[in-house]
Amino acid sequence: MAERSFKAEVEHLRKGTGDVFTGEGILAITKALLENGVGYVGGYQGAPISHLMDVLADAEDLMSELGIRFEANASEAAAAAMLAASVHYPIRGAVTFKGSVGVNVASDALANLSSSGVNGGAVVIVGEDYGEGSSIMQERSYGFAMKSQFWLLDPRPNLPSIVKAVGDGFALSEASNTPVMLMVRIRSCHVTGSFDTSDNVPPPLSVREALSNPQRDFKRVVLPPMSYAHEHDKIDNRWPAAEKYILDNRLNERFGPQDGKVGIMCLGGMYNSIIRSLQRLGLADISGNTSVPLHVLNVTYPIVKSDVLDFCRDKDAVLLVEEGQPEFIEQQLGAMLYKEGATTKLEGKGIFPKAGEYTGQIMFDGLEAFVRQYAPELLPGKVLAPNTPKTELPDLSKTVPIRPPGFCTGCPERPIFASLKLAEQELGSRQITGDIGCHLFACLPPFEIGGSTMGYGLGPASNAAFDGGGEKRAISILGDGGFWHNGLSSSIGNMVFNKSDSVAIIVDNYYSAATGGQDVMSSRAKNDTKSTNNPISKALAGVGVEWIRQIDRTYDVTKMRDTIREALTTDYKGPKVIVASSECMLNRQRREKPLRNKAISDGRRVELPRFGVDQDVCTGDHACIRLSGCPSLSLKKLDDPLRDDPVAHIDQSCVGCGNCGEVADAAILCPSFYEAVLVHNPSGFETWYTGIRRKIIAWLQNRRAGKRLVFSGEST
């Protein structure tokens, strides 16, 4: 159950010649695949392209009609390996996954694919996740493209350019027998716009038809001596063919005047920000017409030497706008200009920061500094003169607290880590590693559990150095998405083979929740096109884990704590695995809330649990907050002058999971938590009974208030 359904938007993918498509970049990419005769599509979800996998899943019926095979792959490596269908067959294939981490996981298959070369067009759509909006380490996919000789496209972030890049990617791949990476940045994925559509094209050769006539060519197998020939083929044949196609079809673009003393060269994905900054500088109009020559590299690898030298010719200085580090392209351009003996000054890093995202202000300041240094006469008078003091913006980082990610309200993973904190309080702190996924938030306050993460599904493997036993057993965390992605073999299998004496906790929230709530093999939901309801505990037993504990309600903090204690203190020597299962609250609410609202609107009786804190009982020590951290659990200042400390308070965002009360009970904190049941459309008897109760309560409250007045001497 993905976090968003695209069923309605998918119908627009049927548009043909003469129609106009309006929507997001993700949908435009899908439409472009259909228009370019793709034969098979696969991938693994991950920001910022998670929605592309969701769109493809929702469009599976349409793709089946066209004879296109779709597969939600188990990992990025499996997706990349799927492109092997294009090695021997003239079938266009495309796979998609998250930027640098996805490329890392898929690197073995990608390197082999690049070595052997392809017959049909092979495109890897990479969601580049760089900058302040990133959820991962700050790396670029460019280095891999250079290492394994993938051609890399980085189109301008508008729908016509993105759609064109998909077709260009397939054609470039076929023209040079080389796989192509199509890089789409965060803004490209979610940019909206329109483009003229073409008819969807069934693949000339479908994968079903290919099975009837098997093809093989041992020269494409990556074994010596063929692998040596592959390297020569890359340089002698594929590279020149790629450069020729890029030049002949003008995949890179130029804007503005042909001549000028300065010029700007940029990656396609940076185009919008550059044009906006030039507009602010008075050097471009609202339509994007620029008075500074602009060379846009929609193909960032390979860099065609003759193309860039032609742009740089007769210019005093050229500014390269290359976000991120290392400055791969700047190094290449510098070498080209040096070898050519060109006098053109190349600027890049130095004018711009060496690392970090090029925000609007950074882009504006960099372009202004470049033009002011090399062509100040281009700047209109309204731009600040040199050395004019600028208004200093306040450094909000000194006053605004950081806002790291955290568990959602009602998250079933929260009680797992509350239980672990309670176990640590009793048995002492432990060596704990985390993993990729929502559970990684436990390394932040209030839990501060787990201090490292080495990759998706590698939580237990990250603790391998501590698995030999010791005074205190190590603990590792692994999510269900990571378990099926890589964890079963690389982490759990590693523990079994090496007779690990540590503890692994598998957080089973029924979905690949951190990537958007997609189904995995152990999901409880019925999926018409995928196999679900495959228990994790059975897979564990299948690879040799003997000590397994299954908990089907993580909100039972007492049981969770006791099970963790058992795992840490048992005499059993070998891997100990706890499968802690409860449904992701976000997905649960997405499923249940519409049904609940409909039932209420239909007049049916509906009960909703709500929790609260009795402010007269709460002591104000806030231990419940330190062990829970739920966003709905906050503080409330009382009017009582005798109580200075605020008390705990549960706001209206509570979803009734009961974790706060469970934690308070397990930790023996206080009895101030209570559960109330909110009833919609109550019966006649319930309405009458509630009225009687309210009258009795009001009478008792008035009676108590009267006694207080008499006691204080204020009664008349």
Coordinates of all heavy atoms in Angstrom, one line a residue, residues 204-259:
P204 N 8.9 -3.3 -30.3 CA 9.0 -4.1 -31.5 C 9.2 -5.6 -31.3 O 8.8 -6.4 -32.0 CB 10.2 -3.4 -32.2 CG 10.2 -2.0 -31.7 CD 9.8 -2.2 -30.2
L205 N 10.0 -5.8 -30.2 CA 10.2 -7.2 -29.8 C 10.0 -7.3 -28.3 O 10.7 -6.6 -27.5 CB 11.7 -7.6 -30.1 CG 12.1 -9.0 -29.6 CD1 11.3 -10.1 -30.4 CD2 13.6 -9.3 -29.7
S206 N 8.9 -8.0 -27.9 CA 8.6 -8.1 -26.4 C 9.5 -9.2 -25.8 O 10.1 -10.1 -26.5 CB 7.1 -8.4 -26.2 OG 6.9 -9.8 -26.6
V207 N 9.6 -9.2 -24.5 CA 10.4 -10.2 -23.8 C 9.7 -11.6 -24.0 O 10.4 -12.6 -24.0 CB 10.5 -9.9 -22.3 CG1 11.4 -8.7 -22.1 CG2 9.2 -9.6 -21.6
R208 N 8.4 -11.6 -24.1 CA 7.7 -12.9 -24.4 C 8.1 -13.5 -25.7 O 8.4 -14.7 -25.9 CB 6.2 -12.7 -24.3 CG 5.7 -12.7 -22.9 CD 4.1 -12.6 -23.0 NE 3.6 -12.7 -21.6 CZ 3.2 -13.9 -21.1 NH1 3.4 -15.0 -21.8 NH2 2.7 -13.9 -19.9
E209 N 8.2 -12.6 -26.7 CA 8.6 -13.0 -28.1 C 10.0 -13.4 -28.1 O 10.4 -14.4 -28.8 CB 8.3 -11.9 -29.1 CG 6.8 -11.6 -29.3 CD 6.6 -10.3 -30.0 OE1 7.5 -9.4 -30.0 OE2 5.5 -10.1 -30.5
A210 N 10.9 -12.7 -27.4 CA 12.3 -13.1 -27.4 C 12.5 -14.5 -26.8 O 13.5 -15.1 -27.3 CB 13.1 -12.0 -26.5
L211 N 11.7 -14.9 -25.9 CA 11.9 -16.3 -25.3 C 11.7 -17.3 -26.4 O 12.2 -18.5 -26.3 CB 10.9 -16.5 -24.2 CG 11.2 -15.8 -22.9 CD1 10.0 -15.9 -21.9 CD2 12.5 -16.3 -22.3
S212 N 10.9 -17.0 -27.5 CA 10.7 -18.0 -28.5 C 11.9 -18.2 -29.4 O 12.0 -19.1 -30.2 CB 9.5 -17.6 -29.4 OG 8.3 -17.5 -28.5
N213 N 12.8 -17.2 -29.4 CA 14.0 -17.3 -30.2 C 15.2 -16.9 -29.4 O 15.8 -15.8 -29.6 CB 13.8 -16.4 -31.4 CG 15.0 -16.5 -32.4 OD1 15.7 -17.5 -32.5 ND2 15.2 -15.4 -33.2
P214 N 15.7 -17.7 -28.6 CA 16.8 -17.4 -27.6 C 18.1 -17.0 -28.4 O 18.4 -17.5 -29.5 CB 17.1 -18.7 -26.9 CG 15.8 -19.5 -27.0 CD 15.3 -19.1 -28.3
Q215 N 18.8 -15.9 -27.9 CA 20.0 -15.4 -28.5 C 21.1 -15.5 -27.5 O 20.9 -15.3 -26.3 CB 19.8 -14.0 -29.0 CG 18.7 -13.8 -29.9 CD 18.9 -14.4 -31.3 OE1 20.0 -14.3 -31.8 NE2 17.9 -15.1 -31.8
R216 N 22.3 -15.7 -28.0 CA 23.5 -15.7 -27.1 C 24.7 -15.3 -27.9 O 24.8 -15.6 -29.1 CB 23.7 -17.0 -26.4 CG 24.0 -18.2 -27.2 CD 24.2 -19.5 -26.4 NE 23.0 -19.7 -25.6 CZ 22.0 -20.5 -26.0 NH1 21.9 -21.0 -27.2 NH2 21.0 -20.7 -25.2
D217 N 25.7 -14.6 -27.3 CA 26.9 -14.2 -27.9 C 28.0 -14.3 -26.9 O 28.1 -13.4 -26.0 CB 26.8 -12.8 -28.5 CG 28.0 -12.3 -29.3 OD1 29.0 -13.1 -29.3 OD2 28.0 -11.2 -29.8
F218 N 28.9 -15.3 -27.0 CA 29.9 -15.5 -25.9 C 30.8 -14.3 -25.9 O 31.5 -14.1 -24.9 CB 30.6 -16.8 -26.2 CG 31.6 -16.8 -27.3 CD1 32.9 -16.4 -27.0 CD2 31.2 -17.1 -28.6 CE1 33.8 -16.4 -28.1 CE2 32.1 -17.1 -29.6 CZ 33.4 -16.8 -29.4
K219 N 30.9 -13.5 -26.9 CA 31.8 -12.4 -26.9 C 31.4 -11.3 -25.9 O 32.2 -10.4 -25.6 CB 31.9 -11.8 -28.3 CG 32.6 -12.7 -29.4 CD 32.6 -12.0 -30.7 CE 33.3 -12.9 -31.8 NZ 33.3 -12.3 -33.1
R220 N 30.1 -11.3 -25.5 CA 29.6 -10.4 -24.6 C 29.7 -10.8 -23.1 O 29.4 -10.1 -22.2 CB 28.1 -10.0 -24.9 CG 28.0 -9.2 -26.2 CD 26.6 -8.7 -26.3 NE 26.4 -7.9 -27.5 CZ 26.7 -6.6 -27.7 NH1 27.2 -6.0 -26.6 NH2 26.5 -6.0 -28.8
V221 N 30.2 -12.1 -22.9 CA 30.4 -12.6 -21.6 C 31.6 -11.9 -21.0 O 32.7 -11.9 -21.6 CB 30.5 -14.1 -21.6 CG1 30.7 -14.6 -20.1 CG2 29.2 -14.7 -22.2
V222 N 31.5 -11.5 -19.7 CA 32.6 -10.8 -19.1 C 33.6 -11.8 -18.5 O 33.7 -12.1 -17.3 CB 32.2 -9.8 -18.0 CG1 33.3 -8.9 -17.5 CG2 31.1 -8.9 -18.6
L223 N 34.4 -12.4 -19.4 CA 35.5 -13.3 -19.0 C 36.6 -13.1 -20.0 O 36.5 -12.6 -21.1 CB 35.0 -14.8 -19.2 CG 34.1 -15.4 -18.2 CD1 33.6 -16.8 -18.6 CD2 34.8 -15.5 -16.8
P224 N 37.9 -13.3 -19.5 CA 39.0 -13.1 -20.4 C 38.9 -14.2 -21.5 O 38.5 -15.3 -21.2 CB 40.2 -13.2 -19.5 CG 39.7 -13.9 -18.2 CD 38.3 -13.6 -18.1
P225 N 39.3 -13.9 -22.7 CA 39.9 -12.6 -23.1 C 38.9 -11.6 -23.6 O 39.3 -10.5 -24.0 CB 40.8 -13.1 -24.3 CG 40.0 -14.2 -24.9 CD 39.4 -14.9 -23.7
M226 N 37.6 -12.0 -23.5 CA 36.6 -11.0 -24.0 C 36.6 -9.7 -23.2 O 36.4 -8.6 -23.8 CB 35.2 -11.6 -24.0 CG 35.0 -12.7 -25.0 SD 35.7 -14.3 -24.5 CE 34.5 -14.8 -23.3
S227 N 36.8 -9.8 -21.9 CA 36.8 -8.6 -21.1 C 37.8 -7.6 -21.5 O 37.6 -6.4 -21.3 CB 36.9 -9.0 -19.6 OG 38.1 -9.8 -19.4
Y228 N 39.0 -8.1 -22.0 CA 40.0 -7.2 -22.5 C 39.5 -6.5 -23.7 O 39.8 -5.3 -24.0 CB 41.3 -7.9 -22.7 CG 41.8 -8.7 -21.5 CD1 41.9 -10.1 -21.5 CD2 42.2 -8.0 -20.3 CE1 42.3 -10.8 -20.4 CE2 42.6 -8.7 -19.2 CZ 42.7 -10.1 -19.3 OH 43.1 -10.8 -18.2
A229 N 38.9 -7.3 -24.6 CA 38.3 -6.7 -25.8 C 37.3 -5.6 -25.5 O 37.1 -4.7 -26.3 CB 37.8 -7.8 -26.7
H230 N 36.5 -5.9 -24.5 CA 35.5 -4.9 -24.1 C 36.0 -3.6 -23.8 O 35.5 -2.5 -24.2 CB 34.7 -5.4 -22.8 CG 33.9 -6.7 -23.0 ND1 33.4 -7.4 -22.0 CD2 33.5 -7.3 -24.2 CE1 32.7 -8.4 -22.5 NE2 32.8 -8.4 -23.8
E231 N 37.2 -3.5 -23.1 CA 37.8 -2.2 -22.8 C 38.2 -1.5 -24.0 O 38.0 -0.3 -24.1 CB 39.0 -2.5 -21.8 CG 39.6 -1.2 -21.3 CD 38.8 -0.6 -20.2 OE1 37.7 -1.1 -19.9 OE2 39.1 0.5 -19.7
H232 N 38.8 -2.2 -25.0 CA 39.2 -1.5 -26.2 C 37.9 -1.1 -27.0 O 37.9 0.0 -27.6 CB 40.0 -2.5 -27.1 CG 41.4 -2.6 -26.6 ND1 42.4 -1.7 -26.8 CD2 42.0 -3.6 -25.9 CE1 43.5 -2.1 -26.3 NE2 43.3 -3.2 -25.7
D233 N 36.9 -1.9 -27.0 CA 35.7 -1.6 -27.7 C 35.1 -0.3 -27.1 O 34.5 0.6 -27.9 CB 34.6 -2.7 -27.5 CG 33.4 -2.5 -28.4 OD1 33.5 -2.0 -29.5 OD2 32.3 -2.8 -27.9
K234 N 35.1 -0.1 -25.8 CA 34.6 1.1 -25.2 C 35.3 2.4 -25.7 O 34.7 3.3 -26.1 CB 34.9 1.1 -23.6 CG 34.0 0.2 -22.8 CD 34.4 0.3 -21.3 CE 33.5 -0.5 -20.5 NZ 33.9 -0.4 -19.0
I235 N 36.7 2.3 -25.8 CA 37.4 3.5 -26.2 C 37.5 3.6 -27.7 O 37.3 4.8 -28.3 CB 38.9 3.3 -25.7 CG1 38.9 3.2 -24.2 CG2 39.7 4.6 -26.1 CD1 38.2 4.3 -23.4
D236 N 37.6 2.5 -28.5 CA 37.8 2.6 -29.9 C 36.5 2.8 -30.7 O 36.5 3.4 -31.8 CB 38.5 1.4 -30.4 CG 39.9 1.2 -29.8 OD1 40.5 2.2 -29.4 OD2 40.4 0.1 -29.8
N237 N 35.4 2.3 -30.1 CA 34.2 2.3 -30.9 C 33.0 3.0 -30.2 O 32.4 3.9 -30.8 CB 33.7 0.8 -31.2 CG 34.8 0.1 -32.0 OD1 35.3 0.6 -33.0 ND2 35.2 -1.1 -31.6
R238 N 32.7 2.6 -29.0 CA 31.5 3.1 -28.3 C 31.7 4.6 -28.0 O 30.7 5.3 -28.2 CB 31.3 2.3 -27.0 CG 31.0 0.8 -27.2 CD 30.5 0.3 -25.9 NE 31.0 -1.1 -25.7 CZ 31.0 -1.7 -24.5 NH1 30.5 -1.1 -23.5 NH2 31.4 -3.0 -24.4
W239 N 32.8 5.0 -27.5 CA 33.0 6.4 -27.1 C 32.8 7.3 -28.4 O 32.1 8.3 -28.3 CB 34.3 6.6 -26.5 CG 34.5 7.9 -25.7 CD1 34.2 9.2 -26.2 CD2 34.9 8.1 -24.4 NE1 34.5 10.1 -25.2 CE2 34.9 9.5 -24.1 CE3 35.4 7.2 -23.4 CZ2 35.3 10.0 -22.8 CZ3 35.7 7.7 -22.1 CH2 35.7 9.1 -21.9
P240 N 33.6 7.1 -29.5 CA 33.4 7.9 -30.6 C 31.9 7.9 -31.2 O 31.5 8.9 -31.6 CB 34.4 7.3 -31.7 CG 35.4 6.6 -30.8 CD 34.7 6.1 -29.7
A241 N 31.3 6.7 -31.1 CA 29.9 6.7 -31.6 C 29.0 7.5 -30.7 O 28.1 8.2 -31.2 CB 29.4 5.2 -31.5
A242 N 29.3 7.5 -29.4 CA 28.5 8.4 -28.5 C 28.7 9.9 -28.8 O 27.7 10.6 -28.9 CB 28.8 8.1 -27.0
E243 N 29.9 10.3 -28.9 CA 30.2 11.7 -29.2 C 29.6 12.1 -30.5 O 29.0 13.2 -30.6 CB 31.7 11.9 -29.3 CG 32.4 11.8 -27.9 CD 33.8 12.2 -28.0 OE1 34.5 12.2 -29.1 OE2 34.4 12.6 -26.9
K244 N 29.6 11.3 -31.5 CA 29.0 11.6 -32.8 C 27.5 11.8 -32.7 O 27.0 12.7 -33.2 CB 29.3 10.5 -33.8 CG 28.8 10.8 -35.3 CD 29.2 9.7 -36.2 CE 28.8 10.0 -37.7 NZ 27.4 10.3 -37.8
Y245 N 26.9 10.9 -31.9 CA 25.4 11.0 -31.8 C 25.1 12.3 -31.0 O 24.1 13.0 -31.4 CB 24.9 9.8 -31.0 CG 23.4 9.8 -31.0 CD1 22.6 9.2 -32.0 CD2 22.7 10.4 -29.9 CE1 21.2 9.3 -32.0 CE2 21.3 10.4 -29.9 CZ 20.6 9.9 -30.9 OH 19.2 9.9 -30.9
I246 N 25.9 12.6 -30.0 CA 25.6 13.8 -29.2 C 25.7 15.0 -30.1 O 24.9 16.0 -30.0 CB 26.6 13.9 -28.0 CG1 26.3 12.7 -27.0 CG2 26.5 15.2 -27.3 CD1 27.4 12.5 -26.0
L247 N 26.7 15.1 -30.9 CA 26.9 16.3 -31.8 C 25.9 16.3 -32.9 O 25.3 17.4 -33.1 CB 28.3 16.3 -32.4 CG 29.5 16.5 -31.4 CD1 30.8 16.3 -32.1 CD2 29.4 17.9 -30.8
D248 N 25.7 15.2 -33.5 CA 24.7 15.2 -34.7 C 23.3 15.5 -34.3 O 22.6 16.2 -35.0 CB 24.7 13.8 -35.3 CG 26.0 13.5 -36.1 OD1 26.8 14.5 -36.3 OD2 26.3 12.4 -36.5
N249 N 22.9 15.1 -33.0 CA 21.6 15.4 -32.6 C 21.4 16.5 -31.6 O 20.4 16.8 -31.0 CB 21.0 14.1 -32.0 CG 20.9 13.0 -33.0 OD1 19.8 12.9 -33.6 ND2 21.9 12.1 -33.1
R250 N 22.6 17.3 -31.4 CA 22.6 18.5 -30.6 C 21.9 18.2 -29.2 O 21.0 19.0 -28.8 CB 21.9 19.6 -31.3 CG 22.6 20.0 -32.6 CD 21.9 21.2 -33.3 NE 22.6 21.5 -34.6 CZ 22.2 22.5 -35.3 NH1 21.2 23.3 -35.0 NH2 22.9 22.8 -36.5
L251 N 22.4 17.2 -28.6 CA 21.8 16.9 -27.2 C 22.1 18.0 -26.2 O 21.3 18.2 -25.3 CB 22.3 15.5 -26.7 CG 21.9 14.3 -27.6 CD1 22.2 13.0 -26.9 CD2 20.5 14.3 -28.0
N252 N 23.3 18.6 -26.4 CA 23.6 19.8 -25.6 C 23.0 21.1 -26.2 O 22.9 21.1 -27.5 CB 25.1 19.9 -25.3 CG 25.6 18.7 -24.6 OD1 25.0 18.2 -23.6 ND2 26.8 18.3 -25.0
E253 N 22.7 22.1 -25.4 CA 22.0 23.2 -26.0 C 22.7 24.5 -25.7 O 23.4 24.6 -24.7 CB 20.6 23.3 -25.4 CG 19.7 22.1 -25.6 CD 18.4 22.2 -24.9 OE1 18.4 21.9 -23.6 OE2 17.3 22.5 -25.5
R254 N 22.5 25.5 -26.6 CA 23.1 26.8 -26.4 C 21.9 27.9 -26.4 O 21.0 27.8 -27.2 CB 24.1 27.1 -27.4 CG 25.4 26.3 -27.3 CD 26.5 26.7 -28.2 NE 27.6 25.8 -28.1 CZ 28.7 25.9 -28.8 NH1 28.9 27.0 -29.6 NH2 29.7 25.0 -28.7
F255 N 22.1 28.8 -25.5 CA 21.1 29.9 -25.4 C 21.9 31.3 -25.4 O 23.0 31.3 -25.0 CB 20.3 29.8 -24.2 CG 19.5 28.5 -24.1 CD1 20.0 27.4 -23.5 CD2 18.2 28.4 -24.7 CE1 19.3 26.2 -23.4 CE2 17.5 27.2 -24.7 CZ 18.0 26.1 -24.0
G256 N 21.2 32.3 -25.8 CA 21.8 33.6 -25.8 C 22.6 33.9 -27.0 O 22.6 33.2 -28.0
P257 N 23.4 35.0 -27.0 CA 24.2 35.4 -28.2 C 25.3 34.4 -28.5 O 25.7 33.7 -27.6 CB 24.8 36.7 -27.7 CG 24.8 36.7 -26.2 CD 23.6 35.9 -25.9
Q258 N 25.7 34.3 -29.7 CA 26.7 33.4 -30.1 C 28.1 33.8 -29.6 O 28.9 33.0 -29.3 CB 26.8 33.3 -31.7 CG 25.5 32.6 -32.3 CD 25.4 31.2 -31.9 OE1 26.3 30.4 -31.8 NE2 24.2 30.8 -31.5
D259 N 28.3 35.1 -29.6 CA 29.6 35.7 -29.2 C 29.5 36.5 -27.9 O 28.4 36.9 -27.5 CB 30.2 36.6 -30.3 CG 30.3 35.8 -31.6 OD1 30.8 34.7 -31.6 OD2 30.0 36.4 -32.6

